[in-house]
Amino acid sequence: MAVSSESQVDGGDGASGEVAAKTWRDTLGRIKRDTTARWGLYVISVVLVVGLYAFVDTYLSTLTFGALDSYTMAEAIPIFDHPEHLPAPGESQPNQPPAFHVDGTLEYPLGTDPEGRDYFTRLVYGSQISVSVGIVATLLGTVAGTVVGAVSGYYGGRIDDILMRSVETLYAIPGLILIIVFTEFASGGQRNIQYAIIGVSLTTIPIFARIIRSRVLSVREMDYIEAARAAGVKDRYIIAKHIIPNSFAPVLVYATLEIGVVILIVAGLSFLGYGAQPPTPDWGRMLAQSYRYMHSNIWLSIWPGLAIMFTIMGFNLFGDGLQDALDPRIDN
Amino acid sequence: MRLLRYTLFRFAQAIPVLLGITVILFLFINMTPGDPIRIMTAGQEVSESHLAYLEARYGLDRPIHVRYWDYLSGFFTGDLGRSIHYNRPVSEVMMARIGPTLLLVLSAFLFAVVTAIPLGILAAKRRNQPSDHISRIVALFGVSTPSFWIGIMLIIIFAVQLGWFPSAGLVMPWDAPSDAGLSGYFWHMVDVLHHLFLPMIALGTLQMATIMRVERTQMIDSLQGEYVKLARAYGVSERTILRKHAFQVAQLPVITLVGLGLSTALGGAVLTETVFNINGMGRLLIDSIQQKDYQVVMSVATILAVIFVIGVIITDIAYAYVDPRVTYGEGE
């Protein structure tokens, strides 16, 4: 008896697995055909490659030389200067305009900052925080939100009430304010990017929990879940193996769109001084610094902002394309 | 009458959320590793007896639940404690700052709604035509650009380069000179708008873009609805259909969006106030954290969350007012 019902469960799972695989293939095909998603993917790839390069280089040089300011791979490549090195006195060329400007030179494609550092290099090295924090914080929020939402939707009743009320309360505190207060107090005044990441992921939990929960409520009623339950499969196993995989598609779309939102928030946090701490270069912090040179060198304010916009736009385009690709109402 | 009952019902529902907000913020602030007094006095020579005195003065020597109860009861009686930095009651400090923030946020929403809804409708009506593409691109830029960078760019272009608008500060409508007379009051309002214009656009762009996107999709959906087909079959003019039938239904998700957008806008106000040097609640929050004035931090965060909750309730009531299908609770 037990054997037969278990094989039934497996059969059900196999069937839903096949359907899932077919849907995934379908979706990938649609994404490939979708111009918006494709462009989004190109932009994301560019940003990821740049960010990864900056991250690996910084990490390696920290490993081998102990500190960022000793040496980086960048100096071996002729187009890059060191992001933090100050030029020797006398050789410094502060506030150079970008290369396309009449006074600009190709040596500094985007000009230099008031300390004479190459701005292009700083921009490249500034990418790592935005991108990595954007992805890591969204990932953390997705995992936590998925667990909360799945448990809440699967058990229902009092557990559902308690979890969803707590999540709603979290959602009722304006995101940026929650993150700032959390970062300040969790770190005891010693601001650190790790606390900012946890703070940002806290604000994304409610969104993912609600999406997953509403999906779980319908998946829960499916025959194969009932069969699994009748066969005596543990709740924890049902949630992990059946409920979550079958409720995940909308979360994926939302997560891609959310990465853009998170990068937007992280830029704001860094601008206010709650994100990356010196000496890590970061776009938001670069804007906070350039803000003071608004009258003398406007280029400093333009490039990091454009970089942030470009990155977020990539994730938004990809998310929009993904949404269209997964939307059953839209038939390509 | 029914609407009144629904209003009371919604406010009653919000009470647990408001209590939850105070619990979360209180826990955050008490989570600080090491006690707040030591952070406050970091880097100064303070005797042990003075530390004990400070602890007693701010009530930190009592158990945590007693302190929470004090805080909560103080909140409902309007006694929010004393600000260490300003040496004035917290409520007094906040009263002076809440006006600019509300003015800024409300005008940003006004700007967003007034521009986004007509543009969204236009895009839906002329789907896949040039005006649709343009408005979609504008919306994409809007959701991908950080508000503080828009602010910086607006200052550089319109304040620094062209000199058309002031780059900092805000003038309150109710601060008109008392002996001004009618024409004096008129010029005062012009001054208010003159100062408000740039920050309003900086803060409102994200809202505008978000609302525009939803308005467009909703209108497209709505224009394909059965009731619109029926109205067309009856020979109702396109104008009337657009204005009456399609429009009203499409507004429902937009109303919800406006309520939830308040959360982003209140967070964004922190950034906008920083960029434009406006003495509002957001600036107060950041400054108080800098000054370790935790009584103020706690109160500002709570008040901003309360404003958001009230905003959501108001939009819920507006939703119920517009949508005839909503039953006002209690199985009516």
Side-chain angles (χ1 to χ4, degrees):
Chain A
M1 184 63 204
V3 174
S4 77
S5 57
E6 238 168 35
S7 69
Q8 248 179 17
V9 173
D10 275 342
D13 189 28
S16 78
E18 262 169 44
V19 173
K22 188 174 173 291
T23 330
W24 281 116
R25 256 201 316 269
D26 236 39
T27 309
L28 279 179
R30 283 186 185 202
I31 293 171
K32 271 188 213 153
R33 267 174 280 141
D34 191 296
T35 331
T36 319
R38 226 171 37 228
W39 274 101
L41 212 54
Y42 295 154
V43 173
I44 294 174
S45 314
V46 170
V47 176
L48 277 183
V49 167
V50 171
L52 207 65
Y53 162 74
F55 176 74
V56 169
D57 187 24
T58 311
Y59 186 68
L60 284 181
S61 54
T62 314
L63 269 189
T64 37
F65 296 96
L68 178 72
D69 47 59
S70 10
Y71 181 80
T72 70
M73 212 156 72
E75 288 168 299
I77 304 172
I79 50 167
F80 290 129
D81 259 347
H82 186 283
E84 295 293 325
H85 261 192
L86 295 177
E91 286 171 28
S92 166
Q93 290 177 295
N95 290 326
Q96 286 280 317
F100 57 78
H101 194 274
V102 272
D103 299 330
T105 54
L106 270 174
E107 196 187 345
Y108 304 113
L110 299 183
T112 56
D113 71 358
E115 276 89 39
R117 295 175 292 194
D118 178 33
Y119 216 56
F120 179 65
T121 311
R122 285 184 65 72
L123 204 65
V124 166
Y125 281 79
S127 64
Q128 43 180 329
I129 293 293
S130 303
V131 180
S132 61
V133 172
I135 293 172
V136 172
T138 311
L139 217 60
L140 273 179
T142 315
V143 171
T146 304
V147 172
V148 171
V151 169
S152 187
Y154 182 75
Y155 287 106
R158 184 165 291 174
I159 295 178
D160 184 27
D161 269 349
I162 294 175
L163 283 177
M164 291 322 281
R165 284 303 96 75
S166 329
V167 154
E168 271 167 30
T169 309
L170 208 55
Y171 196 62
I173 304 171
L176 196 67
I177 288 145
L178 181 82
I179 301 166
I180 291 173
V181 173
F182 177 85
T183 310
E184 179 67 17
F185 290 105
S187 63
Q190 306 292 310
R191 287 171 202 167
N192 191 320
I193 191 75
Q194 275 100 321
Y195 295 105
I197 294 175
I198 300 172
V200 175
S201 57
L202 271 181
T203 61
T204 59
I205 289 176
I207 308 163
F208 291 115
R210 280 154 85 159
I211 297 173
I212 271 280
R213 180 179 170 274
S214 66
R215 285 282 300 181
V216 167
L217 286 180
S218 61
V219 171
R220 183 175 72 167
E221 305 301 326
M222 298 287 177
D223 287 341
Y224 58 89
I225 301 291
E226 190 121 344
R229 224 182 277 151
V233 179
K234 285 211 177 77
D235 279 349
R236 216 182 326 145
Y237 187 82
I238 295 181
I239 293 177
K241 288 281 168 181
H242 299 290
I243 299 267
I244 292 178
N246 282 300
S247 317
F248 209 65
V251 170
L252 195 71
V253 175
Y254 212 89
T256 353
L257 287 169
E258 192 63 21
I259 292 177
V261 176
V262 166
I263 294 176
L264 203 66
I265 294 174
V266 172
L269 276 178
S270 293
F271 181 72
L272 291 171
Y274 290 87
Q277 300 302 315
T280 317
D282 171 73
W283 292 336
R285 209 160 59 81
M286 285 161 78
L287 279 174
Q289 289 163 340
S290 65
Y291 180 63
R292 276 174 285 152
Y293 301 103
M294 214 187 272
H295 292 265
S296 53
N297 190 349
I298 57 171
W299 300 107
L300 297 180
S301 301
I302 291 175
W303 301 121
L306 279 180
I308 297 171
M309 194 176 79
F310 181 72
T311 307
I312 298 172
M313 208 175 268
F315 283 101
N316 279 335
L317 282 173
F318 183 66
D320 284 349
L322 199 62
Q323 199 162 28
D324 287 349
L326 288 174
D327 192 343
R329 283 180 306 174
I330 299 171
D331 208 5
N332 292 350
Chain B
M1 196 53 212
R2 270 215 243 145
L3 206 56
L4 182 70
R5 217 157 73 200
Y6 178 71
T7 309
L8 292 176
F9 173 67
R10 273 305 276 116
F11 271 101
Q13 264 188 330
I15 291 174
V17 175
L18 293 176
L19 281 178
I21 291 171
T22 60
V23 172
I24 290 179
L25 288 173
F26 192 77
L27 284 179
F28 276 4
I29 292 189
N30 284 285
M31 186 166 64
T32 316
D35 61 311
I37 297 291
R38 273 169 218 280
I39 296 176
M40 266 195 276
T41 56
Q44 299 167 38
E45 288 277 330
V46 189
S47 68
E48 282 300 315
S49 65
H50 191 68
L51 280 179
Y53 162 76
L54 282 176
E55 271 191 1
R57 170 132 194 234
Y58 295 105
L60 291 166
D61 51 346
R62 286 168 304 155
I64 188 163
H65 61 273
V66 178
R67 275 188 283 146
Y68 175 70
W69 180 247
D70 273 2
Y71 161 75
L72 195 66
S73 55
F75 207 85
F76 283 104
T77 51
D79 172 20
L80 300 172
R82 249 188 123 70
S83 154
I84 306 164
H85 179 77
Y86 299 95
N87 199 20
R88 271 162 50 200
V90 174
S91 49
E92 222 174 84
V93 175
M94 281 201 303
M95 278 312 271
R97 303 294 197 98
I98 204 161
T101 302
L102 286 181
L103 181 68
L104 181 62
V105 169
L106 291 179
S107 60
F109 267 98
L110 193 71
F111 160 73
V113 169
V114 165
T115 49
I117 289 184
L119 286 175
I121 294 174
L122 191 76
K125 207 174 121 191
R126 304 198 180 148
R127 199 180 167 189
N128 293 331
Q129 286 173 25
S131 52
D132 182 24
H133 293 311
I134 292 171
S135 65
R136 286 176 78 182
I137 290 171
V138 169
L140 180 67
F141 272 92
V143 292
S144 310
T145 316
S147 63
F148 62 93
W149 188 59
I150 298 180
I152 293 174
M153 288 295 111
L154 287 174
I155 291 179
I156 287 180
I157 298 168
F158 293 104
V160 176
Q161 303 285 334
L162 297 172
W164 291 353
F165 291 97
S167 66
L170 213 55
V171 180
M172 295 294 107
W174 48 86
D175 281 351
S178 52
D179 56 344
L182 202 59
S183 78
Y185 196 73
F186 172 78
W187 286 113
H188 179 71
M189 285 313 282
V190 170
D191 199 29
V192 169
L193 293 178
H194 195 209
H195 278 82
L196 192 59
F197 193 71
L198 294 185
M200 173 185 86
I201 292 178
L203 186 58
T205 305
L206 177 65
Q207 306 301 328
M208 180 195 81
T210 325
I211 296 173
M212 197 154 95
R213 290 179 132 201
V214 174
E215 179 74 37
R216 177 179 172 274
T217 3
Q218 287 302 318
M219 278 304 280
I220 287 173
D221 266 7
S222 179
L223 282 171
Q224 287 165 351
E226 294 296 323
Y227 50 92
V228 169
K229 282 184 197 151
L230 186 71
R232 273 203 193 110
Y234 272 111
V236 179
S237 74
E238 280 297 311
R239 244 183 116 88
T240 321
I241 288 178
L242 204 64
R243 222 188 259 165
K244 278 206 162 156
H245 303 262
F247 178 72
Q248 208 175 355
V249 176
Q251 292 329 296
L252 294 173
V254 176
I255 292 176
T256 314
L257 197 69
V258 168
L260 295 178
L262 191 58
S263 172
T264 329
L266 286 169
V270 178
L271 292 161
T272 317
E273 285 171 12
T274 306
V275 171
F276 287 93
N277 211 353
I278 295 166
N279 281 325
M281 294 284 270
R283 251 309 343 132
L284 182 63
L285 182 81
I286 300 295
D287 290 346
S288 304
I289 288 180
Q290 226 79 14
Q291 291 141 359
K292 313 284 178 208
D293 198 346
Y294 293 147
Q295 204 72 37
V296 178
V297 174
M298 178 83 186
S299 304
V300 170
T302 317
I303 290 288
L304 289 176
V306 170
I307 293 176
F308 173 49
V309 171
I310 293 175
V312 170
I313 294 176
I314 292 174
T315 49
D316 272 1
I317 294 166
Y319 193 108
Y321 187 74
V322 174
D323 189 357
R325 289 170 306 184
V326 172
T327 53
Y328 309 126
E330 301 162 38
E332 278 173 69

